[in-house]
Every structure is written in C-alpha cells, then in structure tokens.
Amino acid sequence: MQDIDVDVFVVGAGPTGLVCAALLAREGVSTMAISRYPGPANSPRAHIINQRTMEVFRDLGIEDRVVAAAMPATLMGQVVWAESFTGPEIARRRAWGAAADRRSDYAQASPCDLSNIHQHVLEPILCEAAREYGADVVFGLELVSMRQEAERVVSLCRDRVTGEEVRVVSRYAVGADGDNSAVCREIGFEVEGMMALGHMVNHWFKADLSPYTAHRPGALYQMFRPGGGAAVDNAVFVNVRPWDEWVMSLPYDPAGGQPDTGAEAVAQKVREYVGDDALDVQPVSSSTWTINEAHAELMHRGRVVIAGNAAHRHPPAGGLGANTCVQDAFNLAWKLRLLLDGPAGEQLLATYTEERAPVARQIVQRANVSLAALLAIPAALGLEPGQSAEEGRARLATRMAATPEGAECRRRLAEAVRLQDYNFNALGVELGQLYSSAAIVPDGSSVPDGRDPELFHVASTAPGAPLPHAWLTRGGQQVSTLDLVGRGRFTVLTGIGGDRWREAARTVSEELGIPLETVVIGPDQDVEDAYGEWARLRETDEDGCLLVRPDHHIAFRAVRDTGAPEETLRAALMVSLARPAGPESAGLAGAGAGRSA
C-alpha cells in the first residue's frame, strides 16, 4: 500500500476541488486532489460563469485563459422561446446584462464580464492551473473510507484501474465529490430537502443550426411543442459551440422507462424540435440527471469540510451551480491555509459553515423557483400537461389573434417573459452575498436598501459585504479595487490622512505573523481615484479604513481614524482569525459607528 502525507486532501476534481487545490497550492500548502473519473469532465455540463466567479479566476491568475476559451460574450446575451427552430418564435429576452437598461448595472458591479464556457472546456484550465501552482491532481482514484483522528484525517483510496490501495494522511480534508458524496457518507454529513423532484435527459450532439440561430444569437433556446404527457412537451437547447454543437435537455417520466439514447432515436428527437426532417445530426453522448432541492446546514465536522455539490444540490436554472461551487472554495481555501500556518484559531473553520450554509440555502431555493418560473411561459400560452397536440396548436395560435382572448394571452406572455429576469438577469443573487459570522466585525450598519435585491446588486462596504468594484489608476494603468486585495492576503484600504493605519498594519502583521498589506487611495498616493468612483462607494472618511479578507469580503470597517489604530486593527484581525479576543476588542464597538456623508 502506498502512503501519502499532505496538508489538505481534496476528494473531487471538478470545479470545486480544482479551484480549492489551486488556491491552496498557490499559497504553498501541500495539496492532493483526486477524482474517481479517468479525467476532467468529458461532456458539457455547467456553462454560465458569473462575474463573481470570474473575479475568483482573476484572483487566481487565469481569467484571460477562461475568456479565451469561452464563447464570446456577445453571442450569449439572449434567450429565445419558440415552437421550433423553424417554426413561429414565441418570445426573446435579453439576458445576463445584455439589455440596454441593465448593461451599466453589470459594468459597474465588477471588472469582469460573464462567460459562457462549458465544464468540459473549463475543467482542463482549472486542472492546469492547480498543477502549475504545485497541487497533485490524480484521476482514477476513488475514496473507499475516511476517518478523523485528533490531529489528522486518514483516507483509504483505491486505484480504479490497478486496484492498488493508497492511504492518504492529511491535516484537513475537503469533500468536493458531488451529489453522491463519499465524504458525506463516511463522515456523516446530512443534506436537508428533497431529491429527484424531476428527471431530465441531456443529449449532446453536433448539427449545423446556424440558419436558425446566427441571426438571433444566444446561449439558450427553449422549444415548446403542442401536446405533452406528465410534463409540458419542451426542450432546452444549450449552445456549446456556435452554431454546430449543442446539448438538448428534455424532461422524462421514469415510470415510462428510461429514455431511448440510441443514435437514431436521438437524431430523430433533435429533428422534431428543430423542425427540419433532413437535418444532419451527429449524436455524441447522452446522460440523465435529477432535479434536486437539498443543502447541508452543517458544512464542517472537525477537520473535514464539504463544498460544492456535496453540500448543495439544485438544478442549473440561473446558472448558479458551478458558480456557487467555486465561491465555496474561495471562502474555504484561505481559512485552511491560516489554520495550517498557525495564525488562526480553531473556530475559524466554523465560520465557513456560518457564511456559506445560508448562501447554499438561498441558491438551492432560488434555482428551483427559477426552474418553476420557466413553466410560466407555457402556462401563459395555455399549454397544459396531457392536452392533445391539436388543442395545444389552437392555444398557441391564440396569441396571434386580434381578439380579447389574444390580447389577454399576449399580456400574460409578456408578464411571464419579464419573470424570467429572476433566472437570467438576477445580478443581486449572483453578487449580493453578505456574510455574517464570528469572523466579521459588525458595525451596526447594513447594505443600503435599493431596488429588487435579487435583480439588482447594491455595492456596499458594510462588514460582511464583498468589496465594491471601482476603477482606479496606478502607474498610469487602470486597476480595479479588487486588484488591490485578495491573492491569499488580508489588505487594509485607507486614504489620505490614514497613514497611521499603515504603521499599525506593519506592527500587527509582525506581531500576529500574518501578511497584511496597506493601500492608500488618493491623489499622489499608492493608487489614485481618478474617476472619483471610490470616494462615492467607500462609505468612510478618508482617514478611515477597510480590512479586506483574502476572499474580497470586508471583515472590518472604521469610518474614521479611531485614535488608536494599532489596537483597533489588532482586535479586528483577532476576530477575523477567530483568535481569543483581548481587552483591546472593546474599542471595536465604536470604530465603525456612524457613516461618512
């Protein structure tokens, strides 16, 4: 039996595990990630990568690689509903900030653009990055058993080809091994909710659909056919490569048996929904999946944590799956590293559950609500399960009629299409994750009220919020506020008059043994606020400060100079590291009181 000793053992080498391994290895943590599969994802799965996740890739240094491999953003900005690709179109909706009235919202929210990159294209990029940073990524190795001891985790694995057993001894372990998590089974993690609420089949195929799509480019096309059984007869076509590679996703009833995945059956099914009997279709592969609504309320036990689909399971509606997985890893990696290095207290790992479990709950619920909202469109058209094809065609024709019934149908349809913004334009859901935990120093404030919090993101420097993006200049180059922070370190942001925070940071950094950088923003300072964007967003006086965590979330805010910056900053970092607080922490209560005008 081969024995391997590492700091962190990651079970699962999908987006969650690979990003976690890359982030840890970048900081010098010895990391091993395994997958029971022979290689990275071999078929299209998750594909919409939102701005927050692109910010993680930017931090990791691979944003450019992802953008280069992704579908051009100009080709993903709408969703189309139709009776078939060749038949009458039902509606279109601008998506992911492509509409004129939303474009500025997305541009102001982040230095990064969304991407449309399928999992089988993304995972090799993540794997390459993890290995470049020094992580050991091993495919074809499955977890057999795992147990915790006082100071370590012992995992028994088996090579799926040779049968050789490998024992991995680690300080910590991460379960990033998906819906049927072996780590959950071995350590006793439980997920709450319901599984198998619906059944879907994906058919990956190649066919030139450019005559039907190039003039109305988008990432998703949903076709509704008259007639249907237990579910309204519909198919979602996901663009893999413009415009000749696709995934067609269909609901099915397992009571009627498994769907026919034979090449001719798949090709014929594609032709039916496209509406072209002569279409040349080349099936690639098929797979089935279930609609789940489940999440874990406890995401850590001792030295073992779970992340990604092991902790939250939901449909792909809203494109929240891989994004939430990557963001789990971003929250977790820096905490594991500081626990290994020694500056952090044992309770820091508990804040991972405190911060990410509420996000998992929200995302699972939102994804399922969004999935249900998709059926508002056929409902508005009068399409119902079990109706005949003839009746369905009559209902579809109603929307074109110059009658009171036609007008009412069109009104219902317009409202149903607007409802899809909660699926395809939910910027607030994607970016508005406000953490509350023992590692955040509250100051009695909250994120300002704004428009619909699910559709719109409100930038704030309230403790627990992600650092707002603003364009700054440094050495003649444009940089984002997000470029000043992260990369595995805590950062203090201050302005003119905040020099005492810099001195305090030097002292506290040396004392606590933790890298702590300070950036002064202002005229003739480290970075200049040339556009005045940061002055509008910072919500502090110039001599105040923000303490920003490695995952870009704000740990502490002082609206102004507290008069005792060293004591204040030391106390804030002690909280952020989950270390026992000293008497100086009493001064934190007033540090953030009030807000600069």
Side-chain angles (χ1 to χ4, degrees), residues 568-589:
T568 301
L569 192 56
R570 179 185 296 109
L573 267 169
M574 294 287 277
V575 171
S576 300
L577 297 173
R579 288 175 59 165
E584 68 276 4
S585 63
L588 286 177

Side-chain angles (χ1 to χ4, degrees), residues 21 34 42 53 73 78 91 117-118 138 152 169 185 267 292 318 370 393 400 404 422 465 486 506 567 585 592:
I34 69 166
N42 60 0
T53 301
Q78 65 181 334
I117 179 169
H118 283 262
V138 181
R152 64 181 190 169
V169 178
R185 179 197 70 214
N292 303 316
S370 294
R393 281 191 289 270
M400 305 173 190
Y422 289 94
R506 290 195 186 105
E567 291 79 0
S585 63

